[in-house]
């Protein structure tokens, strides 16, 4: 076609009807269909209508919502008319996927273009959808570049549906008229994504997730990652960048609000980079000829090395289920059947390799109306999409854990800590049975109450970020290390006797808490999952009096910086919300710090001497005059 004198003349010569174009397909050929919302619906419909005249065609595509069900034709003809090859890395638990599981080819998305280009999987015919040509004969693949460009460049016969409603997107998204064999002109609406109804759990997960995102971070957000809630919780961030598989309406909103500037990405600065778009008609209008947006093929966008080249890369993905060792199963659902699962591992691995990067996996704790735990003892009869060795941050509506560098026992305790409270005892029992957790470990009966996210706070003290948060099951070792690092005088003030060892029995009640009766608040510095405890405040309820006894310890280098006061404020807030009547404490006479802490409360404080100890007490219903 390079010998064509002028592209406009050849364009006219290549125009034909869909029926004529599909008539060029021969038996036994392999047919690629443009992916995601870029599916050429008119051509696919014509192919389906002509299927009765074909034998042994193989349809190659990403997992699709199938506006025209070619899979049904394949089923009815027992593969004699059509066979399907869907690139998909997820599990196949739903009824619809189980029935089509034999059509699945597991492959990471960034590897698919190589399969086409090498002709290890030859593409005989590519059905694609493009914009009308510009003045130079270039047509944009619009909302679907991903693996479509590689398929078109590798195919023996390229049939292009030219649709004026397809947005013209910049980047490596173009194919020239001279590289297309047949043109079918058909205007029709581009496929859009239905609005996702987000659950309360999704909103809580988004709030936790947003706390892991730094100003200036570069984001990958899968379409199923509670996007609306994430947008709301990222609204106060600054200078975020986008390098993602799919551009969505929510990312458009972040850009419109000035949250996304792409200034500090480290690669493709100033540009939103993606390989496709799925969303509304408004989104497609936004990306049309927008110089701030570039679409590139999947072997670039999803390449772990490219992802890792970004500053503070944060990958936000969603799992269907996880086990106590950290293995991840994911599944195609109504809102991510456009291959969101298939690119998951690419971004998980690439984000972690980024300087300051974070791989974050969100997981609603339960399914089927809360009757089934999504955290299970061990994944069975399903596909592991992300191996345990590559899992780092995991977020449910009950908290955040970091599994990186953790032993199997630490992982199991971590996963149990963020599971739904109704399933924790059973998960603990199963973990012991599987020898993942020692028989001496307990949940003190049960871990009652929902993690009180309202008590979390991040403050900056002397230029260092300090996280104030309730303790969780995974904090045992850090609490031990804190006690071992205390000065002898501080140990005496905290435990009222000399102490040189702090075994599990001593710290277990602090790290395995009942958020109502035994609340422990930690002050931590450092990264989530690896932070160092520099302060502890805890209360233990006496049910007989409904008074809680409080105790504190602060590392020597963090004293006189207001840390104890902040810990006391959180304990007071938690106790008051839980209906506790008041606080008591014992202190050695030299411990004026405890006395001063009580005096910071907005209630009356009484003091008395008992066995050479100062006894402090306050009642919450007696405000200070």
């Amino acid at each position: 076609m390079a010998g064509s004198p002028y592209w406009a003349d050849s364009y006219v010569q290549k125009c034909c009807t869909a029926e004529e174009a599909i008539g060029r397909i021969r038996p036994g050929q392999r047919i690629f269909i443009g992916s995601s919302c870029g599916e050429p619906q008119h051509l696919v419909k014509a192919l389906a209508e002509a299927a009765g005249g074909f034998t042994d065609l193989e349809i190659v595509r990403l997992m699709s919502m199938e506006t025209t069900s070619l899979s049904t034709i394949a089923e009815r003809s027992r593969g004699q008319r059509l066979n399907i090859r869907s690139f998909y890395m997820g599990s196949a638990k739903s009824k619809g996927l189980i029935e089509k599981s034999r059509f699945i080819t597991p492959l990471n998305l960034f590897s698919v273009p190589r399969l086409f280009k090498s002709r290890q999987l030859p593409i005989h015919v590519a059905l694609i959808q493009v914009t009308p040509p510009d003045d130079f004969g270039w047509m944009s693949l619009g909302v679907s570049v991903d693996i479509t460009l590689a398929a078109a460049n590798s195919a023996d016969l390229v049939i292009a549906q030219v649709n004026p409603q397809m947005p013209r997107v910049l980047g490596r998204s173009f194919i020239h008229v001279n590289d297309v064999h047949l043109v079918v002109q058909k205007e029709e609406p581009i496929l859009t994504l239905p609005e996702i109804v987000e659950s309360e759990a999704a909103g809580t997960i988004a709030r936790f997730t947003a706390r892991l995102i730094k100003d200036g971070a570069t984001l990958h957000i899968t379409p199923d990652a509670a996007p609306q809630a994430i947008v709301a919780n990222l609204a106060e961030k600054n200078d975020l960048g986008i390098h993602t598989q799919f551009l969505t309406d929510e990312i458009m909103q972040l850009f419109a609000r000035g949250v996304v500037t792409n200034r500090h990405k480290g690669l493709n600065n100033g540009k939103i980079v993606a390989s496709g778009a799925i969303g509304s008609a408004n989104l497609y209008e936004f990306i049309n000829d927008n110089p701030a947006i570039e679409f590139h093929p999947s072997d670039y966008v999803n390449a772990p090395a490219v992802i890792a080249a970004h500053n503070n890369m944060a990958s936000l993905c969603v799992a269907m289920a996880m086990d106590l060792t950290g293995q991840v199963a994911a599944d195609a659902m109504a809102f991510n059947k456009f291959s969101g699962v298939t690119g998951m591992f690419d971004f998980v691995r690439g984000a972690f390799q980024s300087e300051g990067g974070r791989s974050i996996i969100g997981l609603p704790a339960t399914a089927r109306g809360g009757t089934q735990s999504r955290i299970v003892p061990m994944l069975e009869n399903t596909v592991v999409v992300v191996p345990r060795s590559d899992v780092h941050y995991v977020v449910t509506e009950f908290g955040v854990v970091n599994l990186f560098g953790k032993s199997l026992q630490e992982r199991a305790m971590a996963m149990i800590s963020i599971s739904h409270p109704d399933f924790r005892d059973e998960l603990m029992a199963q973990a012991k049975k599987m020898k993942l957790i020692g028989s001496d470990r307990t949940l003190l009966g049960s871990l009652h109450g929902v993690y009180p996210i309202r008590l979390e706070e991040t403050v900056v003290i002397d230029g260092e970020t300090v996280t104030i948060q309730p303790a969780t099951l995974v904090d045992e070792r850090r609490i031990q290390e804190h006690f071992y690092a205390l000065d002898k005088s501080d140990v005496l003030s905290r435990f009222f006797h000399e102490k040189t060892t702090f075994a599990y029995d001593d710290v277990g009640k602090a790290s395995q808490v009942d958020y109502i009766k035994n609340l422990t608040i930690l002050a931590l510095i450092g990264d989530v999952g690896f932070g160092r405890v520099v302060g502890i405040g805890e209360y233990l309820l006496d049910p007989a009096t409904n008074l809680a006894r409080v105790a504190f310890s602060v590392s020597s280098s963090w004293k006189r910086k207001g840390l104890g006061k902040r810990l006391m404020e959180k304990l007071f807030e938690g106790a008051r919300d839980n209906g506790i009547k008041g606080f008591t404490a014992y202190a050695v006479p030299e411990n004026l710090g405890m006395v001063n802490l009580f005096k910071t409360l907005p209630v009356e404080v009484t003091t008395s001497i008992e066995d050479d100890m100062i006894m402090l007490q306050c009642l919450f219903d007696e405000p200070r005059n």
Side-chain angles (χ1 to χ4, degrees), residues 62 89 106-113 146-147 220 222 243-245 275 297-310 313-317 339-354 358-359 385-387 390 392:
L62 290 174
M89 274 293 292
L107 201 65
N108 290 319
L109 197 57
F110 90 96
S111 301
V112 178
D146 44 55
I147 65 173
H220 158 72
T222 60
H243 180 94
T244 193
Q245 187 171 326
S275 63
S298 295
D299 51 357
Y300 178 81
V301 173
N302 282 63
V306 173
I307 297 166
H310 292 83
M313 186 75 207
S315 170
L316 315 183
C317 300
S339 80
V341 173
T342 300
M344 183 176 183
F345 186 56
D346 301 337
F347 278 92
V348 164
R349 180 157 285 185
F352 180 70
Q353 294 173 354
S354 161
R358 292 180 169 181
S359 165
V385 175
V386 182
D390 286 278
H392 302 116

Side-chain angles (χ1 to χ4, degrees), residues 370-622:
T371 63
Q372 179 179 315
S373 176
R374 291 186 184 271
I375 296 176
V376 298
M378 187 67 68
L379 288 179
E380 297 176 348
N381 302 318
T382 191
V383 175
V384 174
V385 175
V386 182
R388 61 176 70 110
S389 58
D390 286 278
V391 175
H392 302 116
Y393 293 96
V394 182
V395 185
T396 74
E397 63 269 41
F398 297 100
V400 181
V401 294
N402 186 348
L403 301 187
F404 178 62
K406 300 296 191 295
S407 68
L408 289 181
Q409 175 165 280
E410 290 170 329
R411 285 165 174 258
M413 294 295 288
M415 294 303 293
I416 291 171
S417 76
I418 59 172
S419 67
H420 191 286
D422 290 350
F423 299 98
R424 288 173 184 164
D425 288 328
E426 175 61 22
L427 288 171
M428 190 74 172
Q430 290 295 321
K432 289 183 178 181
K433 185 177 180 180
M434 296 164 59
K435 307 300 183 184
L436 291 176
I437 293 177
S439 58
D440 59 318
R441 291 296 189 258
T442 69
L443 287 179
L444 302 179
S446 184
L447 214 167
H448 296 290
V450 176
Y451 179 86
I453 188 175
R454 69 188 185 281
L455 299 180
E456 279 196 3
E457 182 184 10
T458 300
V459 297
V460 177
I461 300 177
D462 290 347
E464 187 155 13
T465 300
V466 181
T467 300
I468 312 292
Q469 67 174 56
T472 68
L473 287 174
V474 298
D475 293 317
E476 174 196 329
R477 180 59 185 169
R478 288 183 288 187
I479 292 173
Q480 279 183 313
E481 292 171 346
H482 168 75
F483 286 147
Y484 275 112
L486 290 177
D487 295 336
K488 288 184 178 181
S489 59
D490 293 329
V491 172
L492 184 62
S493 296
R494 171 62 182 78
F495 294 99
F496 306 118
H497 63 88
E498 292 187 1
K499 194 173 179 63
T500 58
T501 61
F502 303 93
Y504 168 74
D505 290 341
D506 296 315
V507 301
K509 289 184 179 181
S511 62
Q512 301 189 46
V513 296
D514 178 322
Y515 292 123
I516 298 172
K517 299 177 181 178
N518 180 15
L519 178 64
T520 300
I521 303 291
L522 304 180
L524 302 114
I525 58 173
D527 201 9
V528 175
F530 291 92
R532 178 167 64 90
V533 174
V534 294
I536 299 176
E538 55 189 304
Y539 75 61
L540 178 62
L541 179 65
D542 179 357
T545 63
N546 197 26
L547 294 173
R549 181 174 172 180
V550 297
F552 297 86
S553 62
V554 176
S555 299
S556 57
S557 60
W558 284 87
K559 289 183 177 180
R560 291 176 290 280
K561 295 184 179 182
L563 204 54
K565 181 176 181 292
R566 292 183 181 274
L567 293 171
M568 176 63 98
E569 289 171 351
K570 296 299 180 183
L571 290 178
F572 177 75
E573 180 181 347
R576 185 184 54 193
D577 291 349
N578 290 329
I580 292 173
K581 184 178 179 181
F583 281 161
T584 64
Y586 286 92
V588 295
E590 297 81 8
N591 188 3
L592 296 178
M594 179 66 83
V595 177
N596 292 332
L597 276 180
F598 263 72
K599 290 182 178 180
T600 65
L601 295 174
V603 293
E604 288 292 338
V605 178
T606 62
T607 61
S608 60
I609 302 298
E610 187 176 310
D611 296 330
D612 296 327
M613 299 283 287
I614 299 175
M615 181 181 179
L616 301 160
Q617 181 172 300
C618 66
L619 302 179
F620 298 161
D621 61 357
E622 296 181 358

Side-chain angles (χ1 to χ4, degrees), residues 44-120:
V44 174
K45 183 179 179 181
L47 176 64
E49 291 173 347
F54 292 119
T55 56
D56 298 321
L57 294 186
E58 181 176 279
I59 305 301
V60 178
R61 68 197 315 178
L62 290 174
M63 183 66 70
S64 169
M65 295 181 76
E66 290 201 304
T67 54
T68 299
S69 183
L70 299 180
S71 295
T72 300
I73 297 174
E75 289 278 3
R76 290 175 179 173
S77 69
R78 298 183 180 180
Q80 294 182 24
R81 302 297 183 193
L82 301 178
N83 268 305
I84 310 293
R85 182 188 298 272
S86 294
F87 296 112
Y88 174 62
M89 274 293 292
S91 54
K93 301 294 286 185
S94 66
K95 181 180 178 181
L97 283 179
I98 289 173
E99 292 175 349
K100 301 173 184 177
S101 60
R102 68 183 185 278
F103 300 142
I104 291 173
T105 299
L107 201 65
N108 290 319
L109 197 57
F110 90 96
S111 301
V112 178
R114 178 179 177 182
L115 194 66
F116 297 158
K117 293 175 182 178
S118 67
R119 302 287 290 184
Q120 290 174 313

